[in-house]
Coordinates of all heavy atoms in Angstrom, one line a residue:
E57 N 0.8 -1.2 0.0 CA 0.0 0.0 0.0 C 0.9 1.3 0.0 O 0.6 2.2 -0.7 CB -0.9 0.0 1.2 CG -2.0 -1.1 1.1 CD -2.8 -1.3 2.4 OE1 -2.4 -0.8 3.4 OE2 -3.9 -1.9 2.3
K58 N 1.9 1.3 0.8 CA 2.8 2.4 0.9 C 3.6 2.6 -0.4 O 3.9 3.7 -0.8 CB 3.7 2.4 2.1 CG 2.9 2.5 3.4 CD 3.8 2.5 4.6 CE 3.0 2.7 5.8 NZ 3.8 2.8 7.0
E59 N 3.9 1.5 -1.0 CA 4.6 1.5 -2.3 C 3.7 2.2 -3.4 O 4.2 2.9 -4.2 CB 5.0 0.1 -2.8 CG 6.1 -0.5 -2.0 CD 6.4 -1.9 -2.4 OE1 6.1 -2.3 -3.5 OE2 7.0 -2.6 -1.6
L60 N 2.4 1.9 -3.3 CA 1.5 2.5 -4.3 C 1.4 4.0 -4.0 O 1.4 4.8 -5.0 CB 0.1 1.9 -4.2 CG -1.0 2.4 -5.1 CD1 -0.6 2.3 -6.6 CD2 -2.4 1.8 -4.8
V61 N 1.3 4.4 -2.8 CA 1.3 5.8 -2.5 C 2.6 6.5 -3.0 O 2.5 7.6 -3.7 CB 1.2 6.1 -0.9 CG1 1.5 7.5 -0.6 CG2 -0.2 5.7 -0.4
S62 N 3.7 5.9 -2.8 CA 5.0 6.5 -3.3 C 5.0 6.5 -4.9 O 5.4 7.5 -5.4 CB 6.1 5.6 -2.8 OG 7.3 6.1 -3.3
L63 N 4.5 5.5 -5.5 CA 4.4 5.5 -7.0 C 3.5 6.6 -7.5 O 3.8 7.3 -8.4 CB 3.9 4.1 -7.5 CG 3.6 4.0 -9.0 CD1 4.9 4.2 -9.8 CD2 3.0 2.7 -9.3
I64 N 2.3 6.7 -6.9 CA 1.4 7.8 -7.3 C 2.0 9.1 -7.1 O 1.9 10.0 -8.0 CB 0.0 7.6 -6.6 CG1 -0.6 6.3 -7.0 CG2 -0.9 8.8 -6.8 CD1 -1.8 5.9 -6.1
E65 N 2.7 9.4 -6.0 CA 3.3 10.7 -5.8 C 4.4 11.0 -6.9 O 4.5 12.1 -7.4 CB 4.0 10.7 -4.4 CG 3.0 10.8 -3.3 CD 3.7 10.8 -1.9 OE1 4.7 10.2 -1.7 OE2 3.1 11.4 -1.0
R66 N 5.1 10.0 -7.3 CA 6.1 10.2 -8.4 C 5.4 10.4 -9.7 O 5.8 11.3 -10.5 CB 7.0 8.9 -8.5 CG 8.0 8.9 -7.3 CD 9.1 7.8 -7.6 NE 8.7 6.5 -8.0 CZ 8.4 5.5 -7.2 NH1 8.6 5.7 -5.9 NH2 8.0 4.4 -7.6
L67 N 4.3 9.7 -10.0 CA 3.6 9.9 -11.2 C 2.9 11.3 -11.3 O 2.7 11.9 -12.3 CB 2.5 8.9 -11.4 CG 3.0 7.5 -11.7 CD1 1.8 6.5 -11.6 CD2 3.6 7.4 -13.1
C68 N 2.7 11.9 -10.1 CA 2.0 13.2 -10.0 C 3.0 14.3 -9.7 O 2.7 15.4 -9.2 CB 0.9 13.2 -9.0 SG -0.4 12.0 -9.4
S69 N 4.3 14.1 -10.1 CA 5.3 15.1 -9.7 C 5.1 16.5 -10.4 O 5.6 17.5 -9.9 CB 6.7 14.5 -10.1 OG 6.7 14.3 -11.5
L70 N 4.3 16.5 -11.4 CA 4.0 17.9 -12.0 C 3.2 18.7 -11.1 O 3.4 20.0 -11.1 CB 3.3 17.7 -13.4 CG 4.2 17.2 -14.5 CD1 3.3 17.1 -15.8 CD2 5.3 18.2 -14.8
Y71 N 2.4 18.1 -10.3 CA 1.7 18.9 -9.3 C 2.6 19.5 -8.2 O 2.5 20.6 -7.8 CB 0.6 18.1 -8.6 CG -0.6 17.8 -9.4 CD1 -0.7 16.7 -10.2 CD2 -1.7 18.7 -9.4 CE1 -1.8 16.5 -11.0 CE2 -2.8 18.5 -10.2 CZ -2.8 17.4 -11.0 OH -3.9 17.2 -11.8
R72 N 3.6 18.7 -7.8 CA 4.6 19.2 -6.9 C 5.4 20.4 -7.6 O 5.6 21.4 -7.0 CB 5.6 18.1 -6.5 CG 6.7 18.6 -5.6 CD 7.8 17.5 -5.4 NE 7.2 16.2 -5.0 CZ 7.1 15.8 -3.8 NH1 7.5 16.6 -2.8 NH2 6.6 14.7 -3.5
A73 N 5.8 20.2 -8.8 CA 6.5 21.3 -9.5 C 5.7 22.5 -9.7 O 6.2 23.6 -9.5 CB 7.0 20.7 -10.9
A74 N 4.4 22.4 -10.0 CA 3.5 23.5 -10.1 C 3.4 24.3 -8.8 O 3.4 25.5 -8.7 CB 2.2 23.1 -10.6
A75 N 3.3 23.5 -7.7 CA 3.2 24.1 -6.4 C 4.5 24.9 -6.1 O 4.5 26.0 -5.5 CB 2.9 23.1 -5.3
E76 N 5.6 24.3 -6.4 CA 6.9 24.9 -6.1 C 7.1 26.2 -6.9 O 7.6 27.2 -6.4 CB 8.1 24.0 -6.4 CG 8.2 22.9 -5.4 CD 9.3 21.8 -5.7 OE1 10.0 22.0 -6.6 OE2 9.3 20.9 -4.9
V77 N 6.6 26.2 -8.2 CA 6.7 27.4 -9.0 C 5.8 28.5 -8.4 O 6.1 29.7 -8.2 CB 6.3 27.1 -10.4 CG1 6.1 28.4 -11.2 CG2 7.4 26.3 -11.1
A78 N 4.6 28.1 -8.0 CA 3.6 29.1 -7.4 C 4.2 29.6 -6.1 O 4.1 30.9 -5.9 CB 2.3 28.4 -7.1
V79 N 4.7 28.8 -5.3 CA 5.3 29.3 -4.0 C 6.5 30.3 -4.3 O 6.6 31.3 -3.7 CB 5.8 28.1 -3.1 CG1 6.7 28.6 -2.0 CG2 4.6 27.4 -2.6
H80 N 7.3 29.9 -5.3 CA 8.4 30.8 -5.6 C 7.9 32.2 -6.1 O 8.4 33.2 -5.6 CB 9.2 30.2 -6.8 CG 10.3 31.0 -7.3 ND1 11.4 31.3 -6.6 CD2 10.3 31.8 -8.5 CE1 12.2 32.1 -7.3 NE2 11.5 32.4 -8.5
F81 N 6.9 32.2 -6.9 CA 6.4 33.5 -7.4 C 5.6 34.3 -6.3 O 5.7 35.5 -6.2 CB 5.6 33.4 -8.7 CG 6.4 33.1 -9.9 CD1 6.4 31.9 -10.5 CD2 7.3 34.1 -10.4 CE1 7.2 31.7 -11.6 CE2 8.1 33.9 -11.5 CZ 8.0 32.7 -12.1
C82 N 4.9 33.5 -5.5 CA 4.2 34.2 -4.4 C 5.1 34.8 -3.4 O 4.9 35.8 -2.8 CB 3.2 33.2 -3.7 SG 1.8 32.8 -4.7
S83 N 6.2 34.1 -3.1 CA 7.2 34.5 -2.2 C 7.9 35.8 -2.6 O 8.3 36.6 -1.8 CB 8.3 33.5 -1.9 OG 7.7 32.4 -1.3
K84 N 7.9 36.1 -3.9 CA 8.5 37.3 -4.4 C 7.6 38.5 -4.1 O 8.1 39.6 -3.8 CB 8.7 37.2 -5.9 CG 9.8 36.2 -6.3 CD 10.8 36.8 -7.2 CE 11.7 35.7 -7.6 NZ 13.1 36.0 -7.4
R85 N 6.3 38.3 -4.1 CA 5.3 39.3 -3.8 C 5.1 39.5 -2.3 O 4.9 40.6 -1.8 CB 4.0 39.0 -4.5 CG 4.2 39.0 -6.0 CD 3.0 38.4 -6.7 NE 2.1 39.5 -7.1 CZ 0.9 39.4 -7.6 NH1 0.4 38.2 -7.6 NH2 0.2 40.4 -8.0
Q86 N 5.0 38.4 -1.6 CA 4.8 38.5 -0.1 C 5.6 37.3 0.5 O 5.7 36.3 -0.1 CB 3.3 38.4 0.2 CG 2.7 37.0 -0.1 CD 1.2 37.0 0.3 OE1 0.5 37.9 -0.1 NE2 0.8 35.9 0.9
K87 N 6.1 37.5 1.7 CA 6.9 36.5 2.3 C 6.0 35.4 2.8 O 5.0 35.6 3.5 CB 7.6 37.1 3.5 CG 8.9 37.8 3.1 CD 9.9 36.8 2.6 CE 11.2 37.5 2.3 NZ 12.1 36.7 1.5
L88 N 6.2 34.2 2.3 CA 5.5 33.0 2.8 C 6.5 32.3 3.8 O 7.6 32.1 3.4 CB 5.2 32.0 1.7 CG 4.1 32.5 0.7 CD1 4.0 31.4 -0.4 CD2 2.8 32.7 1.3
S89 N 5.9 31.9 4.9 CA 6.8 31.1 5.8 C 7.1 29.7 5.2 O 6.4 29.3 4.3 CB 6.1 30.9 7.1 OG 5.0 30.0 7.0
K90 N 8.1 29.1 5.6 CA 8.5 27.8 5.1 C 7.4 26.8 5.4 O 7.1 25.9 4.6 CB 9.8 27.3 5.8 CG 11.0 28.0 5.3 CD 12.3 27.5 5.8 CE 13.4 28.3 5.4 NZ 14.4 27.6 4.6
E91 N 6.7 27.0 6.6 CA 5.6 26.1 6.9 C 4.4 26.2 5.9 O 3.9 25.2 5.4 CB 5.0 26.5 8.3 CG 3.9 25.6 8.7 CD 3.2 26.1 10.0 OE1 3.5 27.2 10.5 OE2 2.4 25.3 10.5
V92 N 4.0 27.5 5.5 CA 3.0 27.7 4.6 C 3.4 27.1 3.2 O 2.6 26.5 2.5 CB 2.6 29.2 4.5 CG1 1.7 29.4 3.3 CG2 1.9 29.6 5.8
A93 N 4.6 27.4 2.8 CA 5.1 26.9 1.5 C 5.0 25.3 1.5 O 4.6 24.8 0.5 CB 6.5 27.4 1.3
S94 N 5.5 24.7 2.6 CA 5.4 23.3 2.6 C 4.0 22.7 2.6 O 3.7 21.8 1.9 CB 6.1 22.8 3.9 OG 6.0 21.4 4.1
L95 N 3.1 23.4 3.3 CA 1.7 23.0 3.3 C 1.1 23.2 1.9 O 0.3 22.3 1.5 CB 0.9 23.9 4.3 CG 1.1 23.6 5.8 CD1 0.4 24.6 6.7 CD2 0.6 22.2 6.1
L96 N 1.4 24.2 1.2 CA 0.9 24.4 -0.2 C 1.4 23.3 -1.1 O 0.6 22.8 -1.9 CB 1.3 25.8 -0.7 CG 0.6 27.0 -0.2 CD1 1.2 28.3 -0.6 CD2 -0.9 27.0 -0.6
K97 N 2.6 22.9 -0.9 CA 3.1 21.8 -1.8 C 2.4 20.5 -1.4 O 2.0 19.8 -2.3 CB 4.6 21.7 -1.6 CG 5.4 22.8 -2.1 CD 6.9 22.7 -1.8 CE 7.6 24.0 -2.1 NZ 9.0 23.9 -1.7
E98 N 2.3 20.2 -0.2 CA 1.6 19.0 0.2 C 0.2 19.0 -0.2 O -0.3 17.9 -0.7 CB 1.7 18.8 1.8 CG 1.1 17.5 2.3 CD 1.3 17.3 3.8 OE1 2.0 18.1 4.4 OE2 0.6 16.4 4.3
F99 N -0.5 20.1 -0.1 CA -1.9 20.2 -0.5 C -2.0 20.0 -2.0 O -2.9 19.2 -2.5 CB -2.4 21.6 -0.2 CG -3.8 21.9 -0.7 CD1 -4.9 21.3 0.0 CD2 -4.1 22.7 -1.7 CE1 -6.2 21.6 -0.4 CE2 -5.3 23.0 -2.1 CZ -6.4 22.4 -1.5
S100 N -1.1 20.6 -2.8 CA -1.2 20.4 -4.3 C -0.9 19.0 -4.7 O -1.5 18.4 -5.6 CB -0.1 21.3 -4.9 OG -0.4 22.6 -4.7
I101 N 0.1 18.3 -4.0 CA 0.4 16.9 -4.3 C -0.8 16.1 -4.0 O -1.2 15.2 -4.8 CB 1.6 16.5 -3.5 CG1 2.8 17.2 -4.1 CG2 1.8 15.0 -3.6 CD1 4.0 17.1 -3.1
G102 N -1.5 16.3 -2.9 CA -2.6 15.5 -2.5 C -3.8 15.6 -3.5 O -4.4 14.6 -3.9
I103 N -4.0 16.9 -3.9 CA -5.1 17.1 -4.9 C -4.7 16.4 -6.2 O -5.6 15.7 -6.8 CB -5.3 18.6 -5.2 CG1 -5.9 19.3 -4.0 CG2 -6.1 18.8 -6.4 CD1 -7.3 18.9 -3.7
G104 N -3.5 16.5 -6.7 CA -3.1 15.8 -7.9 C -3.2 14.3 -7.8 O -3.6 13.7 -8.8
C105 N -2.8 13.8 -6.7 CA -2.9 12.3 -6.6 C -4.3 11.8 -6.5 O -4.6 10.8 -7.1 CB -2.1 11.9 -5.3 SG -0.3 12.1 -5.5
L106 N -5.2 12.6 -5.9 CA -6.6 12.2 -5.9 C -7.2 12.2 -7.3 O -7.9 11.3 -7.7 CB -7.4 13.1 -4.9 CG -7.2 12.8 -3.5 CD1 -7.9 13.9 -2.6 CD2 -7.7 11.4 -3.1
K107 N -6.8 13.3 -8.0 CA -7.3 13.4 -9.4 C -6.8 12.2 -10.3 O -7.5 11.6 -11.1 CB -6.9 14.7 -10.0 CG -7.6 15.9 -9.4 CD -7.9 16.9 -10.5 CE -8.8 17.9 -10.0 NZ -10.2 17.7 -10.3
F108 N -5.5 11.9 -10.1 CA -4.9 10.7 -10.8 C -5.7 9.4 -10.5 O -6.0 8.7 -11.4 CB -3.4 10.6 -10.4 CG -2.8 9.4 -11.0 CD1 -2.4 9.4 -12.3 CD2 -2.6 8.2 -10.2 CE1 -1.7 8.3 -12.8 CE2 -2.0 7.1 -10.8 CZ -1.6 7.1 -12.1
L109 N -6.0 9.2 -9.2 CA -6.7 8.0 -8.8 C -8.1 8.0 -9.4 O -8.6 6.9 -9.8 CB -6.8 7.9 -7.3 CG -5.5 7.5 -6.6 CD1 -5.6 7.7 -5.1 CD2 -5.2 6.0 -6.9
Q110 N -8.7 9.1 -9.5 CA -10.1 9.2 -10.1 C -10.0 8.8 -11.6 O -10.8 8.0 -12.1 CB -10.7 10.6 -10.0 CG -11.1 10.9 -8.6 CD -11.6 12.3 -8.5 OE1 -11.3 13.2 -9.4 NE2 -12.4 12.7 -7.5
K111 N -9.0 9.3 -12.3 CA -8.8 9.0 -13.7 C -8.5 7.5 -14.0 O -9.0 6.9 -14.9 CB -7.7 9.8 -14.4 CG -8.2 11.2 -14.7 CD -7.1 12.0 -15.4 CE -7.6 13.3 -15.8 NZ -6.6 14.1 -16.6
V112 N -7.6 7.0 -13.1 CA -7.2 5.6 -13.3 C -8.4 4.6 -13.0 O -8.6 3.6 -13.7 CB -6.0 5.2 -12.4 CG1 -5.8 3.8 -12.3 CG2 -4.8 6.0 -12.8
R113 N -9.2 5.0 -12.0 CA -10.3 4.1 -11.6 C -11.4 4.1 -12.7 O -11.9 3.0 -13.1 CB -10.8 4.5 -10.3 CG -11.8 3.5 -9.7 CD -12.2 3.9 -8.3 NE -13.0 5.0 -8.3 CZ -13.0 6.0 -7.5 NH1 -12.1 6.0 -6.6 NH2 -13.8 7.0 -7.6
M114 N -11.9 5.2 -13.1 CA -12.9 5.3 -14.2 C -14.0 4.3 -14.1 O -14.2 3.5 -15.0 CB -12.3 5.4 -15.6 CG -11.4 6.6 -15.8 SD -10.6 6.5 -17.3 CE -11.6 7.5 -18.4
G115 N -14.7 4.2 -12.9 CA -15.8 3.3 -12.8 C -15.5 1.9 -12.4 O -16.4 1.1 -12.1
K116 N -14.2 1.6 -12.3 CA -13.8 0.2 -11.9 C -13.8 0.1 -10.4 O -13.7 1.1 -9.7 CB -12.4 -0.1 -12.4 CG -12.3 -0.2 -13.9 CD -10.9 -0.7 -14.3 CE -9.9 0.5 -14.2 NZ -8.6 0.1 -14.6
E117 N -14.0 -1.1 -10.0 CA -13.9 -1.4 -8.5 C -12.5 -1.1 -8.0 O -11.5 -1.5 -8.7 CB -14.2 -2.9 -8.3 CG -14.3 -3.3 -6.9 CD -15.6 -3.0 -6.2 OE1 -16.6 -2.9 -6.9 OE2 -15.6 -2.9 -5.0
R118 N -12.4 -0.5 -6.9 CA -11.1 -0.1 -6.3 C -10.5 -1.3 -5.6 O -11.3 -2.1 -4.9 CB -11.3 1.0 -5.3 CG -11.6 2.3 -5.9 CD -11.7 3.4 -4.9 NE -12.9 3.1 -4.1 CZ -13.2 3.8 -3.0 NH1 -12.5 4.8 -2.6 NH2 -14.2 3.4 -2.3
T119 N -9.2 -1.5 -5.7 CA -8.5 -2.5 -4.9 C -8.3 -2.0 -3.5 O -8.5 -0.8 -3.2 CB -7.2 -2.8 -5.5 OG1 -6.3 -1.7 -5.4 CG2 -7.3 -3.3 -7.0
G120 N -7.9 -2.9 -2.6 CA -7.6 -2.5 -1.2 C -6.5 -1.4 -1.2 O -6.6 -0.4 -0.4
S121 N -5.5 -1.6 -2.0 CA -4.4 -0.6 -2.0 C -4.9 0.7 -2.5 O -4.4 1.8 -2.1 CB -3.3 -1.2 -2.9 OG -2.7 -2.3 -2.3
E122 N -5.7 0.7 -3.5 CA -6.3 2.0 -4.1 C -7.1 2.7 -3.0 O -7.0 3.9 -2.9 CB -7.1 1.7 -5.3 CG -6.2 1.3 -6.5 CD -7.0 0.8 -7.7 OE1 -8.1 0.4 -7.6 OE2 -6.4 0.8 -8.8
K123 N -7.9 1.9 -2.3 CA -8.7 2.5 -1.2 C -7.8 3.1 -0.2 O -8.0 4.2 0.3 CB -9.6 1.5 -0.6 CG -10.7 1.0 -1.4 CD -11.6 0.0 -0.8 CE -12.7 -0.6 -1.7 NZ -13.4 -1.7 -1.0
F124 N -6.7 2.4 0.2 CA -5.7 3.0 1.1 C -5.1 4.3 0.6 O -5.1 5.3 1.3 CB -4.6 2.0 1.4 CG -3.5 2.5 2.3 CD1 -3.7 2.5 3.7 CD2 -2.4 3.0 1.7 CE1 -2.7 3.1 4.5 CE2 -1.4 3.6 2.5 CZ -1.5 3.6 3.9
A125 N -4.7 4.3 -0.6 CA -4.1 5.5 -1.2 C -5.1 6.6 -1.3 O -4.7 7.8 -0.9 CB -3.5 5.1 -2.6
E126 N -6.3 6.4 -1.7 CA -7.3 7.4 -1.7 C -7.5 8.0 -0.3 O -7.6 9.2 -0.2 CB -8.6 6.9 -2.3 CG -9.6 8.0 -2.6 CD -10.9 7.4 -3.3 OE1 -10.7 6.5 -4.1 OE2 -11.9 8.0 -3.1
S127 N -7.6 7.1 0.7 CA -7.8 7.6 2.0 C -6.6 8.4 2.5 O -6.8 9.5 3.1 CB -8.0 6.4 3.0 OG -8.1 6.8 4.3
Y128 N -5.4 7.9 2.2 CA -4.2 8.6 2.6 C -4.2 10.1 2.0 O -3.9 11.0 2.7 CB -3.0 7.8 2.1 CG -1.7 8.5 2.3 CD1 -1.0 8.3 3.5 CD2 -1.1 9.3 1.3 CE1 0.2 9.0 3.7 CE2 0.1 9.9 1.5 CZ 0.8 9.8 2.7 OH 2.0 10.4 2.9
F129 N -4.4 10.2 0.7 CA -4.4 11.5 0.1 C -5.5 12.4 0.5 O -5.4 13.6 0.6 CB -4.3 11.4 -1.4 CG -3.0 10.8 -1.9 CD1 -2.9 9.6 -2.6 CD2 -1.8 11.4 -1.6 CE1 -1.7 9.0 -3.0 CE2 -0.6 10.9 -2.0 CZ -0.5 9.7 -2.7
S130 N -6.7 11.8 0.7 CA -7.8 12.6 1.2 C -7.6 13.2 2.6 O -7.8 14.4 2.8 CB -9.1 11.7 1.3 OG -9.5 11.3 0.0
K131 N -7.0 12.4 3.5 CA -6.6 12.9 4.8 C -5.6 14.0 4.7 O -5.6 15.0 5.4 CB -6.2 11.7 5.7 CG -7.3 10.8 6.1 CD -6.8 9.6 6.9 CE -7.9 8.7 7.2 NZ -7.4 7.5 7.9
S132 N -4.6 13.8 3.8 CA -3.6 14.8 3.6 C -4.1 16.1 3.2 O -3.8 17.2 3.7 CB -2.5 14.3 2.6 OG -1.6 15.3 2.3
V133 N -5.1 16.1 2.2 CA -5.7 17.3 1.7 C -6.5 17.9 2.8 O -6.4 19.2 3.0 CB -6.5 17.0 0.4 CG1 -7.5 18.1 0.1 CG2 -5.7 16.6 -0.8
E134 N -7.3 17.2 3.5 CA -8.1 17.8 4.5 C -7.3 18.4 5.6 O -7.6 19.5 6.1 CB -9.0 16.7 5.2 CG -10.1 16.2 4.3 CD -10.9 15.0 4.9 OE1 -10.9 14.9 6.2 OE2 -11.5 14.2 4.2
R135 N -6.2 17.7 6.0 CA -5.3 18.2 7.1 C -4.7 19.5 6.6 O -4.7 20.5 7.3 CB -4.3 17.2 7.5 CG -3.4 17.6 8.6 CD -2.3 16.6 8.9 NE -1.3 16.5 7.8 CZ -0.3 17.3 7.6 NH1 -0.2 18.4 8.4 NH2 0.5 17.2 6.6
T136 N -4.1 19.5 5.4 CA -3.4 20.7 5.0 C -4.3 21.9 4.7 O -4.0 23.0 5.0 CB -2.5 20.4 3.7 OG1 -3.3 19.8 2.7 CG2 -1.4 19.5 4.1
L137 N -5.5 21.6 4.2 CA -6.5 22.6 4.0 C -6.9 23.3 5.3 O -7.0 24.5 5.3 CB -7.7 22.0 3.2 CG -8.8 23.0 2.8 CD1 -8.2 24.1 1.9 CD2 -9.9 22.3 2.1
K138 N -7.1 22.5 6.3 CA -7.5 23.1 7.6 C -6.3 24.0 8.1 O -6.6 25.1 8.6 CB -7.8 22.0 8.6 CG -9.1 21.4 8.5 CD -9.3 20.3 9.5 CE -10.6 19.6 9.2 NZ -10.8 18.4 10.1
L139 N -5.1 23.5 8.0 CA -4.0 24.3 8.5 C -3.8 25.6 7.6 O -3.4 26.6 8.2 CB -2.7 23.4 8.4 CG -2.7 22.3 9.5 CD1 -1.5 21.4 9.2 CD2 -2.6 22.9 10.9
L140 N -4.0 25.5 6.3 CA -3.9 26.7 5.5 C -5.0 27.7 5.8 O -4.7 28.9 5.8 CB -3.9 26.3 4.0 CG -2.6 25.6 3.5 CD1 -2.9 24.9 2.1 CD2 -1.5 26.5 3.4
N141 N -6.2 27.2 6.1 CA -7.3 28.1 6.5 C -6.9 28.8 7.7 O -7.2 30.0 7.9 CB -8.6 27.3 6.6 CG -9.2 26.9 5.3 OD1 -8.9 27.5 4.3 ND2 -10.0 25.8 5.3
K142 N -6.3 28.1 8.7 CA -5.9 28.8 9.9 C -4.8 29.8 9.7 O -4.7 30.8 10.5 CB -5.4 27.7 10.9 CG -6.4 26.9 11.5 CD -5.8 25.9 12.5 CE -6.9 25.0 13.1 NZ -6.3 24.0 14.1
K143 N -4.1 29.7 8.6 CA -3.1 30.7 8.3 C -3.6 31.8 7.4 O -2.9 32.7 7.0 CB -1.9 30.0 7.5 CG -1.2 28.9 8.3 CD -0.3 29.5 9.3 CE 0.5 28.4 10.0 NZ 1.3 29.0 11.1
G144 N -4.9 31.8 7.2 CA -5.6 32.8 6.4 C -5.7 32.6 4.9 O -6.1 33.5 4.2
L145 N -5.4 31.4 4.5 CA -5.5 31.1 3.1 C -6.8 30.3 2.8 O -7.1 29.4 3.6 CB -4.3 30.3 2.6 CG -3.0 31.1 2.6 CD1 -1.8 30.1 2.4 CD2 -2.9 32.2 1.6
D146 N -7.5 30.7 1.8 CA -8.8 30.0 1.5 C -8.8 29.6 0.1 O -8.3 30.3 -0.8 CB -9.9 31.0 1.8 CG -11.3 30.3 1.9 OD1 -11.3 29.1 2.1 OD2 -12.3 31.0 1.7
F147 N -9.4 28.5 -0.2 CA -9.5 27.9 -1.5 C -10.9 27.6 -1.9 O -11.7 27.1 -1.1 CB -8.7 26.6 -1.6 CG -7.2 26.8 -1.4 CD1 -6.7 26.7 -0.1 CD2 -6.4 27.1 -2.4 CE1 -5.4 26.9 0.2 CE2 -5.0 27.3 -2.1 CZ -4.5 27.2 -0.8
N148 N -11.3 27.9 -3.1 CA -12.6 27.6 -3.6 C -12.5 26.6 -4.8 O -11.7 26.8 -5.7 CB -13.4 28.9 -4.2 CG -13.7 29.9 -3.1 OD1 -14.1 29.5 -2.0 ND2 -13.4 31.1 -3.3
F149 N -13.2 25.5 -4.7 CA -13.2 24.5 -5.7 C -14.5 24.4 -6.4 O -15.5 24.6 -5.9 CB -12.9 23.1 -5.1 CG -11.5 23.0 -4.5 CD1 -11.3 23.2 -3.1 CD2 -10.4 22.8 -5.3 CE1 -10.1 23.1 -2.5 CE2 -9.1 22.7 -4.7 CZ -9.0 22.9 -3.3

């Protein structure tokens, strides 16, 4: 299960790169703490991995490992979103 999570994170590395670029440009306009930057990256990766899992599944029955990975990334997104909200950042989906 953890190997699947690691594989999905590697497959979704463009989300990590996009978050790093966004943090870089945002930091030029306003100072972001390392904590907020890290949370933004983790949040972006979680969203990307969940989207990836949705595309791969496309109506098929999920395996136990896929359920674990989906739960793992969902919890990560929820946790980081709450922490970002406490820091004054809000997201609309």
Side-chain angles (χ1 to χ4, degrees):
E57 293 172 344
K58 291 183 181 184
E59 289 177 20
L60 179 61
V61 166
S62 179
L63 173 65
I64 293 169
E65 285 177 333
R66 286 193 309 270
L67 289 170
C68 297
S69 61
L70 286 177
Y71 284 92
R72 178 188 308 268
E76 288 177 6
V77 168
V79 166
H80 173 74
F81 284 112
C82 288
S83 292
K84 296 229 181 232
R85 297 170 97 190
Q86 68 182 44
K87 280 290 185 195
L88 292 178
S89 70
K90 288 185 185 240
E91 178 187 13
V92 169
S94 178
L95 288 170
L96 285 170
K97 290 174 190 176
E98 186 178 343
F99 178 74
S100 297
I101 291 164
I103 291 291
C105 291
L106 285 172
K107 292 221 171 261
F108 175 81
L109 284 168
Q110 286 175 341
K111 281 187 175 183
V112 169
R113 193 173 70 222
M114 293 174 99
K116 294 187 284 185
E117 184 79 25
R118 291 180 296 172
T119 66
S121 294
E122 289 170 339
K123 288 178 185 177
F124 173 83
E126 188 174 330
S127 174
Y128 174 87
F129 292 118
S130 292
K131 288 176 184 175
S132 174
V133 166
E134 288 175 25
R135 183 184 69 77
T136 55
L137 186 57
K138 285 179 186 175
L139 292 170
L140 288 167
N141 285 336
K142 286 182 183 179
K143 299 287 184 183
L145 295 169
D146 193 22
F147 298 89
N148 294 319
F149 294 97

